[in-house]
């Protein structure tokens, strides 16, 4: 049954098929399906990262379940509701409002990430990393996932029962974290650690700012929708968390005036954070020559990457995977700039580059990044130790990401309003790719080859599947019917 729902079949490439199965299998077994427990970032294979959840859970593990077994995705998100108190405590302890989700979140949601995570292997001294207090994008990422869940399932009941409260508490955090700069007439996000963990204490990390703005907008729109459709539930939520109208006005104001680093008009590049382009422009291979010990940590405060443009993992490119509002030209220009500067020191990184390579029509790069991402465990290519800390084990985020790269990358799956659409970019040696999806309760199978797309709606569906072809033509595929385009 599990394989029927989650399997992705590839014909013409046995290696890719085996890697796919290996990754999907591990994503399944690592995910608690009934209990409200985290998905360990290293799965069931070891205790690195304490069996706890990171942003990996919503952004990398969840999509496969969301589109195939949404009840499990609901459960994954419910965990964030059950751990709201831990996130509230973290916010309070650091002087913020609302819910600041833990970087490493266990059963209760309290922050499990130690202040001293890595060690300076040359001196033996512990390094004070700031994953636990500056990496705030986890919170807006959770809002992002909640809204993504709603878009795919239309499960408004989840929003009323759990989602709205989480989203409001996250908006509170963002507003209390931001700074309004009167001379610039804008809000800025100061002292951050974005997805690229080698650069700590940065301002206006593009990924974080865009995600925060998205989260503020969603908080405002959910508030407005509830006001109109279900004032009683809204009153219950606002009373429970003592939310006042002025806070919504603040969120609106911040969403409108939050600084979003824009693509440069000439180069189309988005600066990863303030001052990034002023850093030494070099490559991962070049800086590796500067290591005095192969086990040195590359990041904060004095690692070999800190004063350079070398990034640990996808950051601006990761943003493109979540927010589909940038032109292909911008995506391509940033891909070409950031990819040679990315170390892929995190197993989360190659999948983002694979997705954006496919989205910009580069199937060959997409394929290489896909193989790199999905073979990290089977070929054992990951770093097991960094800065004296063991970080080996199964990389569950990469396992979940395999599904996303195959469907949103190679098959080009997208939600287009009420419809689903596909813009395939298959590697030239693949004959076909096929998988099952469930969107807004309707199940269907998609098979894409180099020439055509076949969409087969499940006979048990209650309504038709809306499909929007690349040429703009809309189709309705009724239960049990098949469409070939
Ligand atoms: O969440 C990730 C992070 O982005 C990079 N370091 C490892 C974490 C757990 O997978």
């Amino acid at each position: 049954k599990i394989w029927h729902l989650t399997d992705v079949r590839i014909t013409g490439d046995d290696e890719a098929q085996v890697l796919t199965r290996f990754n999907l299998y591990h994503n399944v077994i690592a995910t608690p399906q009934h209990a409200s427990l985290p998905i360990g970032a290293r799965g069931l294979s070891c205790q690195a990262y304490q069996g706890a959840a990171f942003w990996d859970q919503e952004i990398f593990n969840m999509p496969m379940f969301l589109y195939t077994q949404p009840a499990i995705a609901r459960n994954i998100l419910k965990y964030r509701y059950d751990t709201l108190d831990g996130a509230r405590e973290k916010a309070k302890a650091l002087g913020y409002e609302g819910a600041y989700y833990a970087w490493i979140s266990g059963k209760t949601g309290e922050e499990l990430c130690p202040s001293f995570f890595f060690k300076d292997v040359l001196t033996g001294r512990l390094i004070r990393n700031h994953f636990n207090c500056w990496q705030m994008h986890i919170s807006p990422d959770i809002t992002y996932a909640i809204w993504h869940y709603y878009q795919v399932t239309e499960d408004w009941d989840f929003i009323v029962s759990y989602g709205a409260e989480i989203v409001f508490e996250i908006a509170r955090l963002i507003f209390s974290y931001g700074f309004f700069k009167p001379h610039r007439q804008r809000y800025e996000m100061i002292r951050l650690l974005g997805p690229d963990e080698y650069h700590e204490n940065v301002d206006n990390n593009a990924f974080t700012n865009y995600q925060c703005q998205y989260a503020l907008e969603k908080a405002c729109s959910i508030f407005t929708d509830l006001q109109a459709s279900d004032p009683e539930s809204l009153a219950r939520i606002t009373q429970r968390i003592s939310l006042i109208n002025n806070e919504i006005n603040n969120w609106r104001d911040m969403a409108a005036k939050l600084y979003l680093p824009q693509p440069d008009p000439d180069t189309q590049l988005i600066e990863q954070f303030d001052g990034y382009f002023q850093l030494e422009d070099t490559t991962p291979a070049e800086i590796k020559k500067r290591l005095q010990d192969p086990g040195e940590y590359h990041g904060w405060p004095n690692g070999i990457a800190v004063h350079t443009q070398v990034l640990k993992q996808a950051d601006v490119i990761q943003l493109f995977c979540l927010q589909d509002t940038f032109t292909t030209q911008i995506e391509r220009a940033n891909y070409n700039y950031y990819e040679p500067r990315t170390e892929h020191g995190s197993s989360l990184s190659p999948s983002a580059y694979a997705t954006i390579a496919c989205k910009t029509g580069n199937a060959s790069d997409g394929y290489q990044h896909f193989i790199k991402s999905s073979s990290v465990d089977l070929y054992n290519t990951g770093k097991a130790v960094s800065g004296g800390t063991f970080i080996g084990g199964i990389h569950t985020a990469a396992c979940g990401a395999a599904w996303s790269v195959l469907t949103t990358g190679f098959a080009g799956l997208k939600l287009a309003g009420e419809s689903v659409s596909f813009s395939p970019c298959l590697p030239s040696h693949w004959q076909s790719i096929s998988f099952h999806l469930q969107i807004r309760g309707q199940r269907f199978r998609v098979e894409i080859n180099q020439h055509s797309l076949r969409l087969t709606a499940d006979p048990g569906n209650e309504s038709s599947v809306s499909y929007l072809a690349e040429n703009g033509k809309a189709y309705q595929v009724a239960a049990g019917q098949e469409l070939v385009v």
Side-chain angles (χ1 to χ4, degrees), residues 242-269:
S242 309
L243 186 69
I244 53 171
N245 271 344
N246 203 29
E247 293 187 76
I248 324 301
N249 295 336
N250 289 340
W251 303 344
R252 244 178 231 126
D253 191 55
M254 186 169 179
K257 297 185 193 144
L258 177 57
Y259 169 53
L260 299 177
Q262 293 300 308
D264 177 275
D266 297 326
T267 62
Q268 307 284 318
L269 296 180

Side-chain angles (χ1 to χ4, degrees), residues 41-42 49 54-56 103 135 195 197 312-313 346 348 397:
R42 288 297 180 265
Y49 293 133
F54 291 65
W55 67 313
D56 309 22
W103 187 240
Q135 202 151 9
E197 294 181 329
K312 178 180 179 187
Q313 64 199 91
S346 162
L348 276 57

Side-chain angles (χ1 to χ4, degrees), residues 40-42 49 52-57 60 103-104 117-118 131 135 137 194-197 312-314 345-349 391 395-398:
R42 288 297 180 265
Y49 293 133
F54 291 65
W55 67 313
D56 309 22
Q57 175 161 305
F60 295 82
W103 187 240
I104 306 190
F117 198 73
F118 292 121
F131 307 120
Q135 202 151 9
H137 68 81
D196 161 24
E197 294 181 329
K312 178 180 179 187
Q313 64 199 91
S346 162
S347 59
L348 276 57
S349 189
I391 54 165
H395 298 76
T396 48

